[in-house]
Amino acid sequence: MMSRSVFSRIGLLAVLSLAALATPSFAQFQTDRDRAEALLGVEDLAPAEAFLRQAVARNRDDGLLWFYFGYALAEGGDCLAALPAFDQALALGVNGDRNGLYGVRLRQAECLAGLGRNREALDALTEVYWRWGRVDFDAVESEPAFAQLIRSDAYRSLKGELPPGLSREAGWLSDIDRLETLMQRRHLRGLAITGSAGWQALITQLRQNVARSSDLQMVSGLMRLAALGDDGHTVIYPPGGGALGFHLLPVQLYRFADGWRIMAAAPDHAALLGARLEAIGGVPIDQAEQGVFAHLARDNRYTLYWLGSVGLQFAELSALVSQASATEPIEWTVRLADGSRQSITLPGQDIARDPMAILPPPDWPRVYSEDLPLWLSRLDEPFWLTELPDISAIYAQVNAVTNTDEESLAGFAARLGERASNGETIILDLRHNRGGNGYLIEGFMRPLLALPQSQQRGKVFVLIGRRTFSAAGELTGTLGQQTRAVFVGEPTAARPTLYAGDTPFTLPYSGLEGSISSHYFVNALSSDDVRPWFAPDIHAAPSLQDFIAGRDPALEAIRMRLAEPGQAPRRFPDQPI
């Protein structure tokens, strides 16, 4: 029997990882799938092949069994017999998930290459790369089966290798072409996006002006092209280093109803705390804001308020929207806390901190109170909980849809369920949750749904906001459908129905990195749901004064609701933006 390659394991693990998440283990009962997965986990696959031959004869309609059968055949050295099994698996949709589809195609590619059918093998790799972005080129090149294929010009082109001696103009044009092809072949709306008037106008301008455009202007143009995907997972990220690397301004901002406020600053700029940003390089902030937004991914307006606080930290974006030099300090006009208006200059600095971080570096002055409120106190932990005995509640903050080495998300939910087993109110805070692994949501929900509180209005509160995104949006939708939770805070950064699914790419010439949404998710009762966000039942957004005083208006709203059941929610200082 041939030894199992790293590359072939990638295909199998792509499928088995989902099976492990979705399938409970029953000692008393095993389906053919359960038995097959156990047999495939051992070194000798001969028993697996024999069993699966019988299994697909009994059930010819299960695409996952066909994949397992093909895998066992291929690992036993019979790729010729494995290929029809893989074809059948694909025809039946494998396991109903993209991991299964690209897992089969990867294993198929190795078999085809091993049989000398390199054109077909390259077709399989091409489909996996352009559609899902899941080809590990290092793994391909480490496998003997691909030795001949990887020497072909077609493979080098797929990988993005550039011919030697490429000119600057040709290099940027190749990146433009590759981004357009990626959008067309990977995004489900790709042809509509690239056929739109906005795309055609911008890409034509970029192509015509390469020679007289600066590298920064080219980066800006590609970022703006990606943003025309108009979803939260289609993006070119600001470059973090190298010749094209962006620089950070020494401030952090937050978007309130009255505009952008400086929440923290490096020690040399402490006088700016609480100031409102009114102009960038003489461009009024309403106009400059839109220029920054044009470079950013978005599902809705609240995504832009969140990611805008990141974008405004980049000196290059301020320079672009004000047509200033990115190599000189950036000019901002601010309204200081005392009401005076002042022009300031801010230097761009190499990226030495995380611009996505909520709190500033420890040595920076900030508007936040010295004693942080509960919702800002443990941001580095993926999930944690505590009791609020004064209102007989359990407060649980979930900052990422993920497992940790110490505890799974499902295990955390079980622990939450145990702590709330005496009927305590559950307060679930998702305001800092930018997403993660959506396959973990089912396991998280199971212990919660076992609690009677889940079906009692006013016994489960879910805090949401402008950073509730991606898989956290999926979790929000699931909670809304399966429980009687009351939602408190701000609208989410995620839509109920959305294009998402991070599929990374790197543009070969510039090295710019990004992602294109390759899937469509329905986190609602119907794909007809056109809401731009999940709106809260009780709107409670923090104001600048709340941050200064260390208050959490969303938690206060819940406290008041619990103290005065049946009363109308009170008005909070910061109204919807």
Side-chain angles (χ1 to χ4, degrees):
M1 183 182 74
M2 63 191 293
S3 63
R4 260 186 271 193
S5 66
V6 173
F7 189 78
S8 68
R9 285 181 181 273
I10 292 172
L12 179 65
L13 291 174
V15 180
L16 283 180
S17 61
L18 292 180
L21 287 170
T23 307
S25 176
F26 298 102
Q28 313 92 314
F29 176 79
Q30 284 190 322
T31 65
D32 283 348
R33 284 189 185 185
D34 300 328
R35 178 66 175 152
E37 286 155 12
L39 291 170
L40 289 171
V42 300
E43 190 64 28
D44 182 6
L45 294 186
E49 178 186 330
F51 171 76
L52 283 161
R53 190 179 298 278
Q54 298 174 353
V56 295
R58 286 192 296 270
N59 183 359
R60 303 187 62 83
D61 301 320
D62 188 330
L64 189 54
L65 286 177
W66 279 106
F67 169 59
Y68 290 159
F69 182 41
Y71 180 87
L73 288 167
E75 290 302 310
D78 194 353
C79 268
L80 196 61
L83 289 173
F86 289 144
D87 288 338
Q88 188 67 9
L90 290 168
L92 294 170
V94 195
N95 60 344
D97 183 86
R98 63 184 183 274
N99 292 41
L101 295 171
Y102 77 71
V104 173
R105 288 297 271 160
L106 287 174
R107 194 62 187 90
Q108 205 172 36
E110 188 179 19
C111 260
L112 289 164
L115 293 169
R117 293 159 63 174
N118 288 315
R119 180 68 260 177
E120 294 170 81
L122 183 63
D123 287 344
L125 292 178
T126 298
E127 179 184 1
V128 173
Y129 175 76
W130 289 115
R131 179 67 185 88
W132 297 291
R134 298 298 182 185
V135 176
D136 182 337
F137 291 106
D138 290 337
V140 171
E141 292 165 18
S142 71
E143 294 304 324
F146 294 106
Q148 183 178 354
L149 183 151
I150 62 177
R151 293 195 293 268
S152 68
D153 290 341
Y155 173 80
R156 294 191 182 102
S157 175
L158 175 67
K159 186 180 176 182
E161 289 186 10
L162 299 174
L166 195 69
S167 69
R168 174 186 178 275
E169 184 172 351
W172 279 115
L173 287 171
S174 71
D175 275 2
I176 294 169
D177 292 344
R178 193 167 184 90
L179 178 60
E180 183 167 51
T181 303
L182 280 162
M183 189 71 79
Q184 290 171 340
R185 300 187 66 170
R186 192 170 291 179
H187 202 293
L188 295 180
R189 292 182 54 249
L191 293 178
I193 292 166
T194 59
S196 67
W199 179 282
Q200 289 298 317
L202 180 52
I203 202 168
T204 299
Q205 179 188 26
L206 281 175
R207 286 174 171 148
Q208 291 176 347
N209 295 330
V210 172
R212 54 182 175 269
S213 295
S214 68
D215 285 346
L216 176 57
Q217 288 170 328
M218 294 306 301
V219 172
S220 168
L222 289 167
M223 290 179 70
R224 286 181 288 130
L225 271 179
L228 291 175
D230 196 33
D231 67 67
H233 291 76
T234 298
V235 62
I236 287 181
Y237 305 114
L244 300 177
F246 278 20
H247 299 80
L248 289 177
L249 300 174
V251 291
Q252 282 186 334
L253 300 96
Y254 193 92
R255 180 63 151 78
F256 295 100
D258 68 346
W260 292 98
R261 295 278 187 162
I262 295 176
M263 304 293 285
D268 291 347
H269 303 279
L272 298 178
L273 293 185
R276 184 172 63 237
L277 179 58
E278 295 196 340
I280 296 177
V283 178
I285 188 57
D286 289 348
Q287 178 182 341
E289 174 188 70
Q290 295 305 311
V292 172
F293 287 171
H295 294 79
L296 307 178
R298 83 292 305 277
D299 274 341
N300 56 48
R301 176 160 39 100
Y302 282 86
T303 326
L304 291 172
Y305 293 156
W306 160 42
L307 294 179
S309 68
V310 179
L312 281 167
Q313 295 178 65
F314 287 108
E316 283 74 9
L317 293 186
S318 281
L320 285 163
V321 300
S322 60
Q323 298 184 348
S325 170
T327 61
E328 300 294 330
I330 299 300
E331 179 188 345
W332 279 8
T333 302
V334 298
R335 181 78 62 180
L336 296 176
D338 63 8
S340 63
R341 201 166 188 261
Q342 181 176 326
S343 291
I344 60 170
T345 55
L346 297 171
Q349 302 167 335
D350 290 342
I351 298 176
R353 58 183 175 84
D354 181 5
M356 299 285 282
I358 296 171
L359 295 178
D363 61 330
W364 280 24
R366 65 191 192 189
V367 303
Y368 305 95
S369 63
E370 188 67 28
D371 294 324
L372 292 171
L374 194 62
W375 74 300
L376 296 174
S377 64
R378 296 167 68 175
L379 298 177
D380 293 335
E381 299 179 43
F383 38 74
W384 58 277
L385 58 81
T386 189
E387 295 181 8
L388 302 178
D390 59 315
I391 53 173
S392 300
I394 306 297
Y395 174 92
Q397 189 173 82
V398 179
N399 294 326
V401 184
T402 188
N403 296 327
T404 69
D405 292 340
E406 295 76 26
E407 187 175 31
S408 68
L409 187 62
F412 172 75
R415 183 157 58 91
L416 171 60
E418 291 172 4
R419 294 283 287 273
S421 59
N422 292 320
E424 291 87 349
T425 297
I426 295 172
I427 301 172
L428 182 61
D429 193 343
L430 304 179
R431 285 175 290 181
H432 307 306
N433 195 320
R434 290 155 41 189
N437 185 349
Y439 295 114
L440 301 179
I441 291 175
E442 181 182 352
F444 177 80
M445 291 297 300
R446 197 175 295 118
L448 297 185
L449 294 175
L451 295 171
Q453 297 99 303
S454 69
Q455 305 308 318
Q456 297 170 1
R457 191 68 164 168
K459 292 296 289 183
V460 176
F461 292 88
V462 180
L463 300 172
I464 55 175
R466 64 183 66 183
R467 293 186 182 92
T468 309
F469 183 63
S470 194
E474 182 180 352
L475 177 55
T476 301
T478 303
L479 287 161
Q481 293 173 43
Q482 299 185 13
T483 76
R484 300 200 66 201
V486 176
F487 293 88
V488 184
E490 292 183 295
T492 62
R495 295 173 178 147
T497 57
L498 71 160
Y499 293 91
D502 284 326
T503 52
F505 66 85
T506 301
L507 297 180
Y509 175 73
S510 62
L512 291 173
E513 297 179 340
S515 174
I516 290 179
S517 297
S518 58
H519 301 87
Y520 184 65
F521 292 87
V522 178
N523 304 324
L525 294 175
S526 166
S527 59
D528 293 327
D529 191 330
V530 296
R531 288 177 295 169
W533 45 59
F534 293 101
D537 300 303
I538 302 173
H539 188 280
S543 67
L544 178 62
Q545 291 305 314
D546 287 324
F547 281 111
I548 293 172
R551 290 191 299 263
D552 181 354
L555 191 54
E556 286 186 11
I558 294 172
R559 288 181 183 277
M560 285 192 286
R561 178 56 64 92
L562 293 175
E564 304 173 10
Q567 298 300 310
R570 297 182 181 182
R571 182 181 294 265
F572 287 87
D574 198 36
Q575 295 304 299
I577 299 175

